[in-house]
Amino acid sequence: MESLPFAPRPNPPTQAGAAPYLAQLNDMQRLAVESLDGPVLVLAGAGTGKTRVLTTRLVHLLSTRRAHPSQILSVTFTNKAAREMKDRVSLLLGMPVEGWWLGTFHALAARLLRRHAELVGLKSNFTILDTDDQIRLIKQQLEALRIDDKKWPARVVLGVIERWKDRALTPDKLAAGDGGDVAGGRVVELYREYQARLRALNACDFGDLLLHNIAIFQQHPDVLAEQHRRFKYLLVDEYQDTNVAQYLWLRLLAQGQNNVCCVGDDDQSIYGWRGAEVGNILRFETDFPGAKVIRLEQNYRSTSHILAAASGVIAHNQGRLGKTLWTDAPGGEKVRLFSAWDGEEEARLVGDEIETLQRAGRSLKDMAVLVRAGWQTREFEERFLQLGLPYRVIGGPRFYERMEIRDALAYFRVIVQPDDDLAFERIINTPKRGIGDATIQTLHAYARANAIPLTEAVLRLVDTDELKPKLRATLRALMGDFGRWRDQVGRIRHTELARIVLDESGYTAMWQADKSPEAEGRLDNLKELVDALDEFETLEGFLEHVSLVMDVADNADGDMATLMTLHGAKGLEFPVVFLPGWEEGLFPNQRAMDESGIAGLEEERRLAYVGITRARERAYISHAANRRMFGSWAAAIPSRFVEELPEADVERMHDATAHTHQDRFSSGFDAWTHSHGLSRAVKSPARGVGERPVVLDGRAYVTERKRPEVAYRNGERVFHQKFGYGTIVWVDNDKLEIDFDAAGRKKVMDSFVVPADKAS
């Protein structure tokens, strides 16, 4: 064995006088570090010192002379995690760690592949393509196979191929029909041609790095045996996030010495939508017989109430190995739960609490608002700007900076101000209309020569022969659209005009046709934009507001609050965390449950667990009684996760500023509500106290009693303002499951419906 450049004690004492790196561990952490032989699964709950265990275990392997650095394979998921682990190991050992087998799946797989590239038809100097190169290559394949790239964009096709690679499915393992109608039913053929083209270019993509490794190991036992001799120990971080290809790669490498230690948390597996298989960690004891499972449950991050709340929620998941977080830290506040009237008030309450904490000496950087969906940030951004609270959006641009929002605003700006050349140039070919750079340069040259705006240049040139007939027709139609939309300003409500513009321009259809994972979020953001318009009297007033908002936002720096999605928050922590929007359909997300059933619900619950455990000192959970989503009001039912919070660890807060909203309602509608036992609107306090809210025709009301006069029964016909007529199929106290004629099966509260014969 090569000599180490340091002289560790061969057998560090296990009692008093232990090596410094062992002395700072608790009992279970130390057990995880010292259990060196055979397969080990370390179930590391949030904030339990996972990284410390990984790095200390590596140091312990070296200090006990169990292995040389070149005999340990340490796998992480991100470059950031790899750097952190290298820094910690280097600090503990007092030596550099460059050149060690410590890095991400892709980095280590690439390093192995370069040694055996010829076995999969590549040279050792192969190129690894980035996303742009991949898309360019897919476009070439689409063109070669004469597949319409407008109907099937290259990015969509690439997404399908990447999902197959995550599942270790090569073209030879797929049937022609496995791709459905993607790429005209020819996506498997395209995948095969794409792989052949990669080999011809002496290139591979990130997915290939693992797939080629797997192929080599399976087809060349001598190469796999070489790796088994090389690597005596495997350390794996975030095992719950592994996909099928990563899992197979690790299994093959671990079969040699069988000394594999995987660290992860089944309760934090939240990336199923991008290929992660929670079953990998749940099957560990089956995959590695005789495995030792060590649970790290002592948390060093959060208060006891926060941990109890998180444990109370996650305990409702069936697909988990089970553990309960605890802390010996004294004190701590209960999780605060409050109900708001609507999303706007929810943002106001959060903003007010942040200001209160700031006045008490808390830094803004200590506070984070974690949302389930990206479009939720808009109301919080608006409120923070009104209050002058600096903020940053992590993981994406601020709401009004998002590409789809800027495109939509450009359309609106041209309607209000035809001379806005920047806005017009942004959307003249968005969606694509066949207007290229040469045409735009011609328009610019004519506009400059005649000192006129671009729109005027277009109007003049479409009546000449300067442009080709097809271009003239396209531009004439576009200017006709803008003229028609401009004529409707003041004649119809500006929110309706916004919908018309987005639909008639083809912009909404463009994103509806886009099959990329981001498309649904962009459509949701556009709907939220239209909702934002409704808060202003005119389109001009809204655009002025946006300009002022962006000016304030651009000048914000220094101490800032954080806005981000729950998915983006994994791995982070903040002293104070706000978790808004805990309502059925929003969180848990209805789309996730519809697509994945129980598995989708359990992943949503794990996301709730992740959200709560981001908080160190204070956690706030909120839900709205009414939520304006995508152009219409809906009565919101508190999330089932709210019911799962342990009462002993929750402080239910009331809104002391509740007030009437009688100015919102017309006397004509009041008559209808009175005949159905509803009173004019009073803001509801916390859930379970006072009157239940209901929204009808976009107006908010509360029932004058907590329970309806009638006891609903299975088979009874009822009416719901949002979902229409339906038949009750299930009753559970005040909850009903109704098979609606048009909307399908939904769960609602009984106070939100009326008997069908009273809905005239």
Side-chain angles (χ1 to χ4, degrees), residues 325-342:
L325 298 181
W326 61 275
T327 180
D328 58 9
E333 299 184 12
K334 292 185 177 182
V335 173
R336 298 187 179 185
L337 175 67
F338 64 87
S339 171
W341 175 247
D342 56 19

Side-chain angles (χ1 to χ4, degrees), residues 121-123 137 193-204:
L122 296 173
K123 299 175 184 177
L137 186 54
E193 294 296 324
Y194 171 70
Q195 291 300 100
R197 182 63 178 150
L198 283 172
R199 280 190 171 87
L201 293 171
N202 190 35
C204 62

Side-chain angles (χ1 to χ4, degrees), residues 96-170:
V97 298
E98 297 307 316
W100 292 16
W101 288 89
L102 195 168
T104 65
F105 277 95
H106 291 129
L108 296 175
R111 188 171 167 185
L112 286 169
L113 182 58
R114 293 202 185 275
R115 300 186 176 200
H116 305 283
E118 73 284 352
L119 298 178
V120 287
L122 296 173
K123 299 175 184 177
S124 61
N125 63 342
F126 61 80
T127 301
I128 302 172
L129 300 188
D130 61 19
T131 301
D132 288 343
D133 289 333
Q134 289 176 269
I135 290 174
R136 189 178 304 112
L137 186 54
I138 293 288
K139 285 181 177 178
Q140 294 174 6
Q141 301 303 116
L142 288 167
E143 184 178 353
L145 294 175
R146 296 183 179 180
I147 298 170
D148 185 359
D149 65 349
K150 292 185 174 61
K151 184 175 181 180
W152 295 107
R155 188 176 295 275
V156 173
V157 175
L158 178 60
V160 174
I161 292 174
E162 287 179 332
R163 286 194 291 275
W164 277 334
K165 291 190 176 186
D166 286 344
R167 292 159 57 197
L169 294 174
T170 49

